[in-house]
Amino acid sequence: MTAPDDRPHVLMTGPYPEWDMAALQPHYTLHRLWEAEDRAAFIARHAPSIRAIATRGELGANAELIGALPQLALIACYGVGTDAIDLAAARDRGIRVTNTPDVLTGDVADLAVGLALGLMRRIPAADAYVRSGAWAQGNMGLVTRLYGKRVGIVGFGRIGVTLAHRLTGFDVEIGYHDVAARADSPQRFFADLAALADWSDLLVVTLAGGPATKGIVNADVLRALGPNGFLVNVSRGSTVDEPALIDALQHKTIAGAALDVFWNEPNIDARWLGLDNVLLQPHHASGTVETRRAMGQLVRDNLQAFFTGQPLLTPVA
Ligand code: 8YV
């Protein structure tokens, strides 16, 4: 067991579940940035000793933070998405970056299916209908089926492919859009996203975030999806042009949207709350006990590998 004074110093940008905090504590000197009253002063005070950042997908590590830490050598991300980490700034300094791929894929795909059903079958509205007593006055309006429909998957990586697999039980037709067709995939490829939206009854976004996909689901794509089309987003808020989506929902030029991710999380645009054709989630696609335990373990395994000179388990850079 390492003597306490020798524990490597790790800056945490936000808390992890208590079981991860308890498992990290004996091995690392943890600096809890979210508890600091004056973040700049806190960083300046601890900067000379900090060798790793343990962050989360949505919190990342920007160039300013990386630049403020002269001894930084590793950024371990609790999350698969590294779009909030300045990878170029890390690369320039030879700082390694790890993430948590694979362990969360199944849960994100599951939530996408749940959101599609919740949205199209209006499950939250039906629950509210029963609770409010409205049922006694008459039956609820009819809804839309999922099975047998055309589903367009935007981004056909690990999560998109797993979602396609989940959906085989729903007898849907699947099309997908990505930068290139996958040779190993029998599904129909659309090089043009608006053409996929036009073809689809339901469009599900599973893309990685970042500059290459920023605002890719834009007003043209939503117009192509049309008044009977539904949108599900389990990727990053940045992939969708939010003002265009709010406009499409307000004017019912698409049928509805289910969103796990937003611009400005967690202080989302108040207009979402006034729409009755959206289903809202608090960025929770990977938020099961099972997956979060696996994510925390992978972060710890990467930290341990790094500090014992072993190969990183899931390096991004
Ligand atoms: C998490 C995520 O919600 O994996 C990602 O990229 O955004 C999510 O799994 C997040 O990292 C946990 O804080």
Side-chain angles (χ1 to χ4, degrees):
M1 170 91 191
T2 323
D5 289 343
D6 296 336
R7 291 175 304 166
H9 289 244
V10 175
L11 178 70
M12 298 192 71
T13 58
Y16 289 2
E18 41 86 13
W19 57 73
D20 290 318
M21 300 303 294
L24 287 165
Q25 189 70 53
H27 304 286
Y28 305 98
T29 301
L30 301 176
H31 299 285
R32 296 168 168 80
L33 185 55
W34 69 97
E35 288 177 357
E37 271 174 34
D38 181 339
R39 286 169 63 100
F42 181 88
I43 291 166
R45 186 161 69 249
H46 297 294
S49 54
I50 288 168
R51 297 184 55 209
I53 294 175
T55 189
R56 302 197 319 228
E58 73 279 26
L59 299 174
N62 61 21
E64 191 190 348
L65 178 60
I66 293 170
L69 303 174
Q71 302 304 320
L72 185 66
L74 175 72
I75 301 171
C77 181
Y78 177 90
V80 67
T82 53
D83 49 300
I85 298 175
D86 195 319
L87 294 176
R91 200 178 313 115
D92 285 350
R93 295 236 326 260
I95 295 165
R96 307 297 309 277
V97 179
T98 62
N99 65 346
T100 58
D102 300 318
V103 292
L104 49 67
T105 301
D107 272 347
V108 179
D110 280 1
L111 190 74
V113 175
L115 289 180
L117 282 170
L119 176 67
M120 298 171 77
R121 299 297 303 261
R122 296 184 56 81
I123 295 172
D127 179 87
Y129 197 81
V130 175
R131 288 175 195 275
S132 71
W135 192 13
Q137 315 308 317
N139 284 338
M140 183 178 151
L142 302 182
V143 295
T144 307
R145 72 158 61 136
L146 170 60
Y147 88 80
K149 292 288 165 69
R150 288 176 165 177
V151 182
I153 301 178
V154 188
F156 215 50
R158 281 178 283 241
I159 294 170
V161 169
T162 302
L163 172 61
H165 179 66
R166 293 282 194 278
L167 287 172
T168 53
F170 287 87
D171 297 326
V172 293
E173 260 184 272
I174 290 175
Y176 69 97
H177 167 78
D178 210 319
V179 284
R182 282 183 72 122
D184 59 349
S185 163
Q187 276 93 12
R188 180 162 169 192
F189 170 68
F190 288 76
D192 180 51
L193 176 52
L196 175 67
D198 186 46
W199 175 87
S200 300
D201 301 303
L202 165 69
L203 201 61
V204 186
V205 190
T206 63
L207 288 164
T213 59
K214 192 170 186 316
I216 193 169
V217 179
N218 58 23
D220 290 340
V221 172
L222 296 170
R223 207 170 300 116
L225 187 57
N228 298 317
F230 293 89
L231 177 77
V232 169
N233 188 6
V234 290
S235 65
R236 281 289 183 268
S238 62
T239 60
V240 174
D241 180 339
E242 246 184 38
L245 178 57
I246 290 172
D247 187 71
L249 290 161
Q250 283 173 338
H251 295 97
K252 306 220 182 324
T253 56
I254 70 165
L259 308 170
D260 187 44
V261 285
F262 302 85
W263 295 9
N264 305 321
E265 295 172 16
N267 303 307
I268 64 169
D269 194 313
R271 286 176 295 173
W272 292 120
L273 310 181
L275 291 165
D276 66 359
N277 47 0
V278 290
L279 199 170
L280 307 173
Q281 290 282 298
H283 195 149
H284 220 227
S286 69
T288 66
V289 171
E290 297 89 339
T291 282
R292 289 291 167 87
R293 281 196 183 277
M295 289 165 64
Q297 184 66 54
L298 192 46
V299 168
R300 290 199 298 283
D301 290 347
N302 275 306
L303 282 167
Q304 189 187 12
F306 180 79
F307 284 112
T308 56
Q310 304 300 312
L312 298 173
L313 281 88
T314 47
V316 174

